[in-house]
Amino acid sequence: MSQEVCRFAPTPSGPAHPGTLLAALLAWLDARSRGARFLLRMEDIDHTRCTQEAAAEMKAALRWLGLDWDGESVQSQRRNDHEAALDRLAQEGALYPCGCTRSEIRRAGTRAADGGWRYPGCCRTRTLPEAGWRRAGGALRLRLEPGRVEVSDEGGLELGQEPLAELGDPVVLRADGAIAYHLAVVVDDAKDGVTRVVRGRDLASATALHGVLQQRLGVATPS
Ligand code: GLU
């Protein structure tokens, strides 16, 4: 059997807090206890929040805790891979431009499974310009199909969800040009060959959506 690959993927937007270190420790223990490769990925694509100093501090904090890793990557250096995924989704007709503001979305008044507001789908019928998604200007969303997605969690957490009903179509490219977390994390896990994900419960409500993106991009869903 080929070797399993685990990862820790912090967002370097400030000092490592106890929850971050706990998640790192659990991911590391999971990897080391099964002889898996353990990778560190700095998820720094949000240029409004992330800094190189915070990335350096994060690594120092992980080392302080006694953790080590077998490989390292930086999400902001993967732009070509993220754009290739957008190309694929655009070719399938799955993307549309969205100009809705946060207050418009909030006004629709439905809470989303992740604690934010469900996107009500106002721009759903819009199409990309003939010249392609790069010319759309503004945010792009992924048009989801209705239906339930089951994802298993070894800890027994219920991760099954109806992403369209519970979250609404997600942003995959932000209005400021940054790739959205959900797309980047799926592309990068596939690129890194990640086979197991251990992470904070705060991301439980995003797991089904990641499953949808993995299917749409033709990559495997990690355990
Ligand atoms: N970068 C994300 C965060 O710090 C975690 C990504 C993940 O584990 O999927 O919240």
Side-chain angles (χ1 to χ4, degrees):
M1 214 181 100
S2 60
Q3 195 185 22
E4 289 183 302
V5 180
C6 306
R7 50 67 157 182
F8 182 58
T11 299
S13 57
H17 58 75
T20 308
L21 294 178
L22 177 62
L25 177 61
L26 293 176
W28 180 86
L29 284 170
D30 181 65
R32 293 295 181 239
S33 67
R34 21 177 82 240
R37 262 171 71 70
F38 184 63
L39 307 178
L40 176 66
R41 183 171 67 235
M42 283 297 157
E43 299 212 320
D44 62 343
I45 41 168
D46 187 344
H47 51 86
T48 61
R49 293 167 57 221
C50 299
T51 63
Q52 287 190 354
E53 294 71 42
E57 276 178 36
M58 179 71 69
K59 282 202 245 177
L62 297 176
R63 288 203 184 95
W64 168 84
L65 194 57
L67 308 190
D68 60 354
W69 46 93
D70 308 314
E72 204 173 305
S73 61
V74 178
Q75 193 159 59
S76 57
Q77 293 171 2
R78 297 259 173 92
R79 179 83 192 187
N80 289 347
D81 298 299
H82 303 151
E83 291 201 7
L86 287 173
D87 287 337
R88 178 173 172 144
L89 296 170
Q91 270 160 20
E92 289 172 5
L95 301 184
Y96 63 90
C98 175
C100 295
T101 62
R102 276 171 205 229
S103 53
E104 282 167 339
I105 295 170
R106 202 177 312 126
R107 226 173 292 137
T110 311
R111 278 285 181 192
D114 62 1
W117 296 94
R118 178 183 177 272
Y119 178 62
C122 316
C123 295
R124 228 174 177 239
T125 51
R126 290 180 62 189
T127 51
L128 291 176
E130 291 268 310
W133 65 265
R134 289 177 180 78
R135 292 298 173 87
L140 295 179
R141 286 185 187 268
L142 173 71
R143 204 176 282 109
L144 296 176
E145 309 285 341
R148 191 169 174 82
V149 179
E150 297 300 342
V151 189
S152 66
D153 170 48
E154 289 173 21
L157 207 61
E158 175 53 68
L159 297 177
Q161 199 189 48
E162 289 189 51
L164 177 59
E166 295 177 48
L167 297 170
D169 294 336
V171 168
V172 285
L173 182 72
R174 294 184 352 188
D176 64 2
I179 303 289
Y181 156 69
H182 297 304
L183 182 69
V185 75
V186 162
V187 170
D188 288 10
D189 279 343
K191 174 106 186 163
D192 289 330
V194 169
T195 59
R196 289 177 66 78
V197 172
V198 174
R199 64 183 177 194
R201 191 173 282 208
D202 55 328
L203 290 165
S205 63
T207 309
L209 177 59
H210 295 176
V212 172
L213 276 162
Q214 281 145 357
Q215 279 169 19
R216 294 292 262 273
L217 294 171
V219 299
T221 295
S223 310

